[in-house]
């Protein structure tokens, strides 16, 4: 951390000095493994996918007939099936946003507790492990677990029935957007906790003490100091969660209803069922575009926070 | 051969006049962390406007004492008063004290002016008054032009000044400073010592300063409280601490000293004559209850040891090194090794036979530790 150097009174490292080490001319070959890896596993596949999206589907494959027909279909639909892709994409982004907000709200108090309120290091380690343990279980398993909990005669429903609350909306949450959001919130909250905790943990306790020393109470200190200083972690976690959850296809498939199909399900069915790879590629590229915009925004935001 | 003058007359104690409430008062304060007692039964009274230094090695309880006054720790026992008011039930943010933290603890996401104005803003002081007081304070600290920058863009010395400004702008009754110069390099530290003295003079606030650096304590303080293992070893003015240390620990901790062992031959009031064996007889002042024949430790400052040419078998120079303005010589005499500081040009080569003469009224005699 460069501000740590500043805090102990070391002269700040200027960018020029920082790069002196790598100035030798023959050093470029050291980058080959990284560039090669990126090229083979990301660059070329994405390029091929992009080419696909500009072709036309035929009964048994594709014709290399270059056009933007697939993108037109994604954004405007056609007379046959109407406009289905763009609304699905927007719905996916909405679900992603909801998951991001809920997992942030759930994760922050836990990360805060972990970083500041638990003095005993063994207790802290145990809590930390409890946060991580769900990540060891398969995503599918966790999604199925929610099926068991949220189903008509599931755990939640039966308990509610027992206490006399029958036929509320909670008794039959399965196969709804709520179920999708709940499931994905559960999946992504640990990531959120880890990124926020990583930032809070490095926050010097003396900053909080300094705030109190200057006459500012607990709540105000939290709002004016802890929250702004934790924003880089929140932004990183939110970007991650938003990107992954709006592109998810497992949760909507397992716990969503037939109107809760998300954009990744569309991609999946174009490749897997309809055998329309060009359209699937076009949808994937539009989604990629949205995620790229999201990452660009969050990178900007993070930069501003770090100034 | 050794010809000391008699001990110092009783110097005035740093104790305070009674009758008015002190800036800070600690009464029987004890703080434990689990099994470890950080501060034990501490009594301390700090007068208004004093520059008091808590001095001691790490783990002596000085920082804990400061944190108890600041309200960052609660004592297990005892009473802490600030300006006469009991602080027991007052959290840190309600105490009329402000702290300069060890690593400054400046808020990285705020500009320098926002840092300095942080406390005022949240206390509901108007925007214009805040701006005015922040500006004044930053001029006093001689950093009037860095207000728009972020703390990390400043040098260590400037950050230090921002931390001071941020605390002093709150007009505290007492300013607590927790090793504030520890992160600075030697030259800047020297400069800041004078700066802190100047600032103390100008604002007139009570300063309680924690350090393990005896030189820092000597330079700045009106009064030094030497601590060890959670209790006070000595509480006096810098001069008295140096000239008349109460315990061997203080003598050893403050300045360089030689501690040599001997046996009391004569005792008269606060003055003891001690037989040091091959080093001869020496007289020094003492505050301990001693009797003839007691084993004692004698503290002799290296600057008080004079080295003269001598015969074989008396004392032999072992080493001689240049330390800036003077030469430090290590001289063996019998079982004891003595360090002498002499002017350049009057030193002897290793192996030379010398005669040691101690001429000082600063010789101190302490009862030998148990089992010594």
């Amino acid at each position: 951390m460069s501000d740590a150097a500043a805090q102990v009174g070391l002269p700040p490292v200027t960018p020029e000095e920082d790069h002196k080490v790598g100035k030798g001319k023959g050093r470029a070959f050291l980058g080959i493994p990284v560039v090669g890896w990126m090229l083979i596993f990301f660059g070329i596949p994405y390029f091929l996918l992009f080419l696909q999206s500009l072709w036309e589907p035929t009964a048994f494959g594709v014709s290399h007939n270059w056009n933007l027909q697939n993108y037109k279909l994604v954004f405007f639909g056609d007379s046959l099936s109407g406009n289905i892709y763009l609304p699905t994409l927007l719905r996916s982004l909405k679900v992603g946003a909801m998951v991001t907000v809920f997992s942030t709200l759930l994760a922050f108090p836990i990360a805060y507790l972990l970083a500041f309120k638990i003095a005993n290091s063994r207790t802290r380690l145990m809590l930390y492990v409890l946060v991580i343990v769900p990540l060891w279980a398969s995503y599918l398993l966790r999604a199925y677990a929610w099926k068991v909990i949220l189903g008509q005669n599931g755990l939640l429903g039966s308990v509610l029935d027992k206490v006399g609350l029958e036929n509320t909306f909670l008794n039959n949450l399965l196969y709804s957007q709520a179920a999708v959001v709940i499931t994905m919130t559960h999946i992504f909250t640990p990531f959120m906790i880890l990124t926020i905790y990583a930032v809070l943990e490095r926050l010097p306790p003396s900053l909080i003490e300094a705030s109190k020393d200057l006459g500012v109470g607990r709540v105000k200190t939290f709002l004016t100091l802890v929250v702004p200083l934790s924003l880089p972690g929140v932004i990183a976690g939110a970007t991650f969660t938003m990107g992954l959850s709006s592109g998810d296809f497992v949760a909507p498939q397992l716990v969503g209803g037939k109107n809760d199909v998300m954009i990744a399900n569309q991609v999946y069915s174009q490749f897997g069922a309809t055998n329309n790879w060009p359209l699937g590629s076009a949808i994937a590229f539009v989604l990629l575009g949205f995620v790229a915009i999201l990452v660009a925004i969050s990178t900007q935001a993070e930069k501003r926070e770090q100034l | 051969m050794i010809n000391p003058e008699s001990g110092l007359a009783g110097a005035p104690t740093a104790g305070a006049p009674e009758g008015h409430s002190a800036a800070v008062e600690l009464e029987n304060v004890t703080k434990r962390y689990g099994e470890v007692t950080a501060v034990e039964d501490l009594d301390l009274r700090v007068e208004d406007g004093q520059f008091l230094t808590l001095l001691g090695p790490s783990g002596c309880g000085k920082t804990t004492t400061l944190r108890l006054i600041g309200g960052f720790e609660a004592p297990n026992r005892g009473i802490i008063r600030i300006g006469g008011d009991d602080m027991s039930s007052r959290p840190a943010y309600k105490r009329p004290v402000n702290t300069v933290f060890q690593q400054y603890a400046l808020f990285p996401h705020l500009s320098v002016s926002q840092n300095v104005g942080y406390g005022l803003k949240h206390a509901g002081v108007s925007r214009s008054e805040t701006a005015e007081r922040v500006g004044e304070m930053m001029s006093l600290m001689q950093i009037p032009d860095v207000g728009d920058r972020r703390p990390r863009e400043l040098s260590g010395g400037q950050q230090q000044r921002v931390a001071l400004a941020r605390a002093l702008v709150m007009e505290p009754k007492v300013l607590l400073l927790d090793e504030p110069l520890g992160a600075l390099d030697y030259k800047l530290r020297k400069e800041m010592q004078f700066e802190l003295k100047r600032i103390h003079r100008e604002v007139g606030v009570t300063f309680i300063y924690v350090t393990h650096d005896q030189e820092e304590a000597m330079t700045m303080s009106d009064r030094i409280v030497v601590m060890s293992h959670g209790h006070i070893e000595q509480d006096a003015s810098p001069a008295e601490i140096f000239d008349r240390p109460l315990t061997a620990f203080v003598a050893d901790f403050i300045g360089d000293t030689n501690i040599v062992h001997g046996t009391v031959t004569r005792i008269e009031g606060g003055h003891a004559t001690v037989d040091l064996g091959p080093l001869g007889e020496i007289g020094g002042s003492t505050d301990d209850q001693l009797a003839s024949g007691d084993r004692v430790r004698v503290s002799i400052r290296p600057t008080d040891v004079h080295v003269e040419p001598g015969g074989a078998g008396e004392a032999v120079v072992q080493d001689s090194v240049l330390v800036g303005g003077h030469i430090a010589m290590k001289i063996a005499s019998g079982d004891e090794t003595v360090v002498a500081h002499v002017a350049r040009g009057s030193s002897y080569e290793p192996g030379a036979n010398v005669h040691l003469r101690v001429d000082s009224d600063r010789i101190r005699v302490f009862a030998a530790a148990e089992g010594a």
Side-chain angles (χ1 to χ4, degrees):
Chain A
M1 240 171 77
S2 66
D3 49 341
Q7 273 179 9
V8 297
L10 298 173
V13 177
T14 62
E16 294 85 29
E17 278 172 333
D18 225 5
H19 288 148
K20 255 181 205 158
V21 182
K23 253 186 179 169
K25 269 190 177 169
R27 303 277 169 92
F29 71 90
L30 287 175
I32 288 174
V34 177
V35 174
W37 175 278
M38 293 300 287
L39 207 64
I40 292 169
F41 293 105
F42 290 94
I44 294 172
Y46 274 123
F47 182 67
L48 292 179
L49 203 69
F50 183 62
L51 292 185
Q52 245 340 306
S53 73
L54 300 173
W55 294 337
E56 255 176 45
T58 64
F60 299 105
V62 292
S63 83
H64 296 184
N65 187 4
W66 305 87
N67 61 62
L68 290 170
Q69 207 48 46
N70 297 312
Y71 287 98
K72 200 178 151 204
L73 193 61
V74 174
F75 282 106
F76 306 108
D78 59 10
S79 52
L80 200 71
S81 48
N83 191 350
I84 54 171
Y85 301 110
L86 193 61
T88 309
L89 180 65
L90 294 178
R91 186 167 61 239
S92 307
L93 293 174
K94 187 182 122 198
V95 169
M98 279 158 66
V99 171
T100 306
V101 169
F102 289 134
S103 48
T104 306
L105 291 179
L106 273 177
F108 206 105
I110 298 172
Y112 186 80
L113 204 74
L114 217 51
F116 294 119
K117 292 294 161 190
I118 296 180
N120 185 319
S121 60
R122 280 183 68 157
T123 318
R124 188 165 55 230
L125 185 70
M126 237 172 64
L127 248 173
Y128 193 79
V129 170
L130 279 178
V131 169
I132 296 176
V133 156
L135 301 179
W136 295 348
S138 141
Y139 180 171
L140 278 178
L141 196 71
R142 282 177 283 161
Y144 269 109
W146 281 104
K147 250 177 137 86
V148 174
I149 295 168
L150 300 175
Q152 198 157 22
N153 296 309
L155 197 61
L156 183 64
S158 347
V159 170
L160 287 174
D161 284 346
K162 279 260 163 59
V163 298
L165 288 166
E166 289 161 44
N167 302 323
T168 68
F169 77 100
L170 286 172
N171 293 56
N172 194 7
L173 268 179
L174 196 57
Y175 306 125
S176 69
Q177 196 175 66
V180 176
V181 172
I182 289 172
T183 303
M184 288 208 286
T185 301
H186 171 231
I187 306 270
F188 289 110
T189 299
F191 292 111
M192 216 58 203
I193 294 173
L194 294 183
T195 49
I196 297 174
Y197 173 71
V199 174
L200 292 183
E201 191 208 12
R202 283 186 305 180
L203 204 86
S206 63
L207 288 186
I208 294 170
E209 285 182 352
S211 174
K212 290 184 181 164
D213 185 72
L214 293 165
V216 181
R218 287 155 161 262
V219 178
K220 250 185 168 177
T221 294
F222 177 80
L223 293 176
T224 56
L225 199 70
V226 180
V227 169
L229 287 176
S230 67
L231 276 186
V234 173
I235 292 170
T239 311
F240 188 82
T241 303
M242 179 76 193
L244 286 184
S245 60
S246 45
D248 191 86
F249 63 95
V250 175
Q253 186 123 326
L254 288 180
V255 300
K258 69 174 183 295
N259 295 325
D260 301 318
V261 170
M262 292 191 10
I263 197 69
N265 301 95
Q266 302 274 20
V267 178
Y268 175 75
S269 63
Q270 295 307 329
F271 276 87
T274 327
N275 207 19
N276 187 347
W277 286 27
L279 180 58
S281 304
I283 303 171
F285 256 87
V286 174
L287 179 60
L288 189 68
F290 274 94
V291 173
I293 291 169
L294 180 78
V295 171
I297 293 172
S298 85
T299 311
Q300 270 319 103
E302 233 170 314
K303 257 191 204 149
R304 256 194 37 209
E305 280 313 313
Q306 279 167 0
L307 272 185
Chain B
M1 78 191 227
I2 288 172
N3 176 28
E5 296 195 6
S6 64
L8 287 173
T13 52
E18 295 293 324
H20 70 283
S21 56
V24 177
E25 243 176 318
L26 273 70
E27 239 176 64
N28 304 322
V29 170
T30 297
K31 174 67 186 175
R32 287 189 206 89
Y33 298 102
E35 300 284 291
V36 185
T37 304
V39 169
E40 187 152 29
D41 238 356
L42 199 77
D43 283 303
L44 183 67
R45 197 182 149 98
V46 188
E47 294 307 317
D48 257 335
Q50 242 175 7
F51 194 132
L52 177 129
T53 298
L54 298 172
L55 176 66
S58 61
C60 73
K62 58 191 192 298
T63 296
T64 304
T65 306
L66 199 76
R67 291 175 61 80
L68 285 165
I69 298 169
F72 303 116
E73 309 282 350
N76 297 86
R77 203 152 46 84
I79 299 170
I80 297 170
R81 287 193 204 89
I82 298 174
D85 299 328
D86 186 355
M87 290 290 130
S88 307
S89 56
R90 280 217 234 168
Y93 62 89
K94 286 187 181 157
R95 295 193 181 195
V97 298
N98 287 104
T99 307
V100 175
F101 291 85
Q102 209 163 46
Q103 300 287 342
Y104 321 138
L106 299 177
F107 307 130
H109 63 305
L110 300 178
S111 73
V112 168
S113 323
Q114 284 170 326
N115 262 281
V116 179
Y118 185 88
L120 294 177
K121 181 184 159 197
H122 291 287
V125 174
S126 77
R127 204 176 276 236
S128 57
E129 194 192 329
T130 300
E132 191 182 322
R133 280 168 68 178
V134 167
E136 269 171 28
M137 197 42 79
M138 286 177 54
S139 327
L140 178 65
M141 296 302 147
Q142 299 179 339
I143 42 163
D145 304 319
V146 299
D148 294 331
R149 293 203 233 156
R150 297 276 168 147
R152 73 160 68 165
E153 296 171 292
L154 304 184
S155 69
Q158 287 172 320
Q159 290 187 33
Q160 173 69 77
R161 286 164 196 266
V162 176
L164 273 164
R166 185 179 67 177
L168 282 173
V169 80
M170 301 303 292
E171 296 174 357
K173 280 208 175 81
V174 180
L175 184 72
L176 308 174
L177 302 105
D178 185 7
E179 307 218 12
L181 306 186
L184 302 179
D185 61 52
Y186 180 76
K187 223 179 144 188
L188 206 51
R189 209 155 64 219
K190 285 289 195 199
E191 197 184 306
M192 281 307 291
Q193 287 174 14
F194 288 105
E195 270 299 281
L196 278 171
K197 268 238 73 102
R198 174 184 72 84
I199 291 160
H200 176 246
R201 242 186 349 257
E202 284 184 34
V203 297
V205 170
T206 310
F207 278 32
I208 302 181
Y209 188 98
V210 158
T211 186
H212 62 268
D213 183 337
Q214 42 110 357
E215 193 189 315
E216 229 167 80
M218 284 287 168
T219 319
M220 293 188 289
S221 326
D222 302 326
R223 182 178 154 203
I224 297 177
V225 172
V226 184
M227 292 182 71
S228 156
H229 298 296
H231 68 268
I232 294 174
E233 289 274 335
Q234 188 168 4
D235 176 351
S237 69
E240 197 186 346
I241 293 253
F242 189 82
D243 293 338
R244 200 183 166 86
L246 265 187
T247 63
F249 174 85
V250 175
D252 201 24
F253 193 76
I254 307 289
D256 292 322
T257 201
N258 295 292
I259 302 276
V260 291
H261 296 84
T263 312
V264 177
T265 55
R266 201 149 43 88
I267 183 114
E268 261 175 67
H271 190 263
T273 308
V274 181
D275 178 12
L276 293 178
L279 280 170
E281 271 207 338
I282 192 170
S285 63
T286 185
D287 286 304
D288 293 347
Q289 290 301 317
L290 297 173
S292 247
D294 280 357
R295 291 289 290 162
V296 288
R297 286 171 296 171
V298 180
S299 157
I300 307 167
R301 301 286 180 199
T303 44
D304 295 337
V305 179
H306 301 278
V307 186
E308 294 163 348
E314 249 187 282
V316 180
V317 177
Q318 285 192 317
D319 210 348
S320 173
V321 289
L322 178 66
V323 188
H326 65 268
I327 287 175
M329 291 169 65
K330 220 168 157 189
I331 298 152
S333 174
D335 295 338
E336 306 276 7
T337 305
V338 174
V339 175
H341 289 178
V342 301
R344 290 166 77 163
S346 58
S347 78
Y348 296 84
E349 290 301 308
N353 288 313
V354 291
H355 168 76
L356 299 179
R357 185 171 57 82
V358 178
D359 178 16
S360 170
D361 50 11
R362 282 199 300 230
I363 307 297
R364 292 288 288 167
V365 180
F366 307 107
E370 302 281 310

